[in-house]
Structure formats: C-alpha cells, structure tokens
Amino acid sequence: MGDYLQYTFNTENPEEIIRSVRSGDQLPAHYTLDVDPFSQVASSLLVDSCFLESTEFNVGGYRWVIQIYPNENEKDNGDGHISIYLKLCDKLKPHSFINVIFRALIYDQERNKYLVIQDLQEKRFDASNTIRGMPKTLPQSALYAECNGFLMHDRCTFGAEVFIINTNRPTSAKVLCVNDNSNRQYTWRVERFSEISNSLNSPEFIIDGRSWYLCVYPKGNYEGKDKFRSLYLHLVQCNDLTAGNKLYIEFEMGIKDQLNRKDCTVIFQYPFQKSLNSWGRCTFVPISDLLIPYRGLVMDDVVLFEVRFKHSFMLSNRSSA
C-alpha cells in the first residue's frame, strides 16, 4: 500500500534512483533469481567486493546477466548497501550503443510484494561500457530487517527487467486536468468503532467520475501494527489506467474532530496507476490519540473519516505520428 515507497527526483545527480512497490502477483518481466541459502552465498563473497553473477537471459535480441554484490561494492561507492548491476554479454560494434532502463526487484515474502528499484535515467551500453547499475540499490540494514520480509528462512529472491529504448518510435504523453467541479469530498461515518478488529472498507463513492473507497485498520498494519490506526484511499480500477498511465491526486485525508473542530488530517500527493492503486499511511494516528476524550476523534464510539480532493490530473501516453 505504498508504506515503504521512497521516490527521489534529484535530476542533477544521474546516479539517483526511484524505489516503488508493486504486487507480488506481477512477476519480474524478464528474469528471477532465488538465492538460497543467502547467508552462505554472501559469506563466500566477502573477499575483495566479490559478486554473484546470474545465468544469461535474453531481452531485445541481446544476452544479459545481473551481478549482485550482497556485501556492498566499495569500489563503486556502494558502502553500506547491496549493489545490483546489469551486464551486456554481447559485444557491440564500434560507435554503436543501446539505451536501457534497468529495474532491479527484491521480493517481500511477508507481504507478497516487490520492491522495485530503478535508475532515474536510462543507461547507455556501448563497446567500452558493458556493465551499468546501481551501487546503492538498497541499504543492507533494510535487506536484513526482518520486518521488511526480503530475507526469510535464509532465502532472498531478486528480479530484473530490461527495457530497451527504441528511438525510432518515440512515445509522447499528455496531461489532462480531470477535475469535474462537483463535490470532491466524502465523509464516512463508522459506528461501534471499538468493536472492529480487522480492516474495514467504506462504501464506494464517486469523485471526478471515478469510484473510490477508504480502508481503515483500527489496530494498524505493517509498521503501525498495535500502535497506530492505518488509513488508505483505494482507487477502483478503471480501463484507462493502462500502459503506464498515471492519475496524480493531491488529497487531504483524516479523522474529523467532533468536539473541537481540530481535525487530524494529512495531505498526500501521489500517482495512482494500474499496478499501484492505493495510498495512505500505516502510521496515520496513534491508537492512544483516539482514546483521549477531549481530543474529540471518537464520540459515542463513532468515528468520522473524511477525504477531500484538492487537485488531480491524468498523465497518459499517446503515440507520435
């Protein structure tokens, strides 16, 4: 649900990367590598920044392998991180090149999700540059943290996706404002809130011509388990969110203060898309806050959740003539 999503958009640094999360049902498009037992493999590669090289796989008529440094690649400033690289096995002709977008994936076995790590900019492969990648793919502490689910029963699963840029048939995109100037606010009244033990979904509601629903975890989920209330906004999938189209929404979501009119709200600005149709926060509000009578978030065991859309636009692809 996007809780450990981290986006970086510092375009001045070509080494910056983007991290996103997607469902584990959407398998890596081009290659999967299971490392089991991971600890034994990592121990055997401790000397002199050694790496694990995968078997070959084919994408776009070329042969590739991935190289994984489980113990960091100090020679490429990968201190404190695991490093993942893409290597072109074929020899290119002089003055020829391939522009590639490379995605490395790590499977979260606890939640059945993939953490997707991608270069912010495409990488160019040529006769003298056959290995490109991300020295700071993921902090080692994040890989080994039990709560993240990447390493379970001494097994870790990596994936790779390689997208070759075809400059002969470029794709352009257009931005469309999708505000329909109608009511862009929804309030959900939940009674007997203290009796809810599992997650609860609101009825579906329409904003900007699309169906949405709220989802609350009264006892929290993920990192907020038993400490926070977790709250999310879900988009009911629409047919036009395909081929990488994204619906950017700035929305305010929270719990109404029924006593003092000091609502507990958070503003979100995120893209909804086919592979990621839910945004929110697992640590939305401490459980203890709702137990304070004068805070006004719970009155007569009733909680009022509210979402208000502020700005929204669609980014969609279109083929160039």
Side-chain angles (χ1 to χ4, degrees):
M1 293 186 177
D3 293 305
Y4 51 128
L5 264 167
Q6 296 181 359
Y7 286 101
T8 304
F9 292 106
N10 181 7
T11 54
E12 295 179 357
N13 185 348
E15 299 303 323
E16 293 289 356
I17 59 177
I18 302 172
R19 295 188 180 96
S20 59
V21 177
R22 78 184 191 199
S23 170
D25 297 330
Q26 185 180 352
L27 298 176
H30 301 125
Y31 189 76
T32 301
L33 175 64
D34 290 324
V35 183
D36 183 7
F38 183 84
S39 60
Q40 183 176 334
V41 173
S43 297
S44 67
L45 299 173
L46 281 172
V47 181
D48 196 27
S49 296
C50 289
F51 56 85
L52 172 67
E53 185 168 280
S54 73
T55 56
E56 292 183 0
F57 58 98
N58 289 277
V59 178
Y62 299 94
R63 296 177 299 124
W64 310 87
V65 295
I66 56 173
Q67 296 178 344
I68 302 173
Y69 291 75
N71 305 303
E72 71 189 24
N73 183 9
E74 296 180 354
K75 297 178 181 179
D76 198 19
N77 298 318
D79 298 1
H81 291 71
I82 65 167
S83 307
I84 301 180
Y85 296 83
L86 178 68
K87 176 183 176 181
L88 175 64
C89 300
D90 293 309
K91 191 172 182 179
L92 296 178
K93 296 179 179 179
H95 309 297
S96 64
F97 61 87
I98 309 171
N99 286 334
V100 169
I101 292 177
F102 171 49
R103 291 178 183 167
L105 300 91
I106 307 177
Y107 183 52
D108 176 353
Q109 304 168 57
E110 181 72 22
R111 304 171 185 83
N112 186 31
K113 292 182 179 295
Y114 278 101
L115 176 63
V116 184
I117 308 101
Q118 175 182 319
D119 277 309
L120 187 60
Q121 298 181 0
E122 67 267 18
K123 297 297 184 181
R124 174 167 292 192
F125 290 78
D126 54 36
S128 59
N129 294 283
T130 59
I131 301 176
R132 309 299 297 268
M134 298 166 283
K136 295 185 177 181
T137 305
L138 185 72
Q140 288 181 310
S141 58
L143 178 71
Y144 286 97
E146 185 176 346
C147 62
N148 285 338
F150 299 131
L151 186 59
M152 294 185 65
H153 308 295
D154 206 18
R155 178 181 178 180
C156 191
T157 300
F158 298 90
E161 295 181 342
V162 180
F163 301 96
I164 299 175
I165 307 302
N166 186 348
T167 56
N168 294 323
R169 292 188 297 174
T171 299
S172 62
K174 59 182 178 180
V175 176
L176 297 175
C177 180
V178 296
N179 300 359
D180 65 2
N181 297 321
S182 62
N183 181 24
R184 311 186 77 220
Q185 180 173 306
Y186 174 74
T187 301
W188 178 28
R189 178 185 175 93
V190 180
E191 300 180 351
R192 298 181 179 179
F193 185 76
S194 62
E195 300 178 12
I196 303 172
S197 57
N198 299 316
S199 62
L200 182 66
N201 294 341
S202 75
E204 291 186 11
F205 55 92
I206 304 295
I207 294 182
D208 290 341
R210 298 179 184 273
S211 295
W212 309 81
Y213 67 89
L214 297 175
C215 177
V216 61
Y217 290 78
K219 299 185 183 301
N221 71 334
Y222 298 144
E223 290 86 350
K225 187 71 173 178
D226 297 324
K227 295 180 181 179
F228 292 84
R229 317 287 188 185
S230 306
L231 185 62
Y232 302 91
L233 173 67
H234 289 256
L235 169 64
V236 179
Q237 281 298 329
C238 296
N239 293 332
D240 59 344
L241 289 184
T242 58
N245 294 347
K246 299 178 181 180
L247 177 63
Y248 284 83
I249 304 289
E250 179 183 357
F251 62 96
E252 186 176 38
M253 184 169 62
I255 304 174
K256 292 187 68 64
D257 181 351
Q258 304 173 58
L259 191 62
N260 310 296
R261 295 186 178 180
K262 295 181 179 180
D263 299 343
C264 175
T265 61
V266 177
I267 294 177
F268 298 86
Q269 294 175 304
Y270 291 116
F272 289 81
Q273 48 193 314
K274 186 175 182 179
S275 60
L276 188 58
N277 66 330
S278 174
W279 286 99
R281 184 171 294 180
C282 66
T283 56
F284 192 86
V285 60
I287 290 178
S288 57
D289 280 19
L290 271 73
L291 302 178
I292 302 175
Y294 64 80
R295 185 67 178 85
L297 300 180
V298 181
M299 297 292 292
D300 299 324
D301 209 15
V302 173
V303 179
L304 300 178
F305 297 97
E306 190 168 83
V307 61
R308 181 169 64 89
F309 283 30
K310 305 182 72 175
H311 305 286
S312 56
F313 62 89
M314 171 72 79
L315 178 63
S316 60
N317 288 331
R318 60 183 177 188
S319 298
S320 295

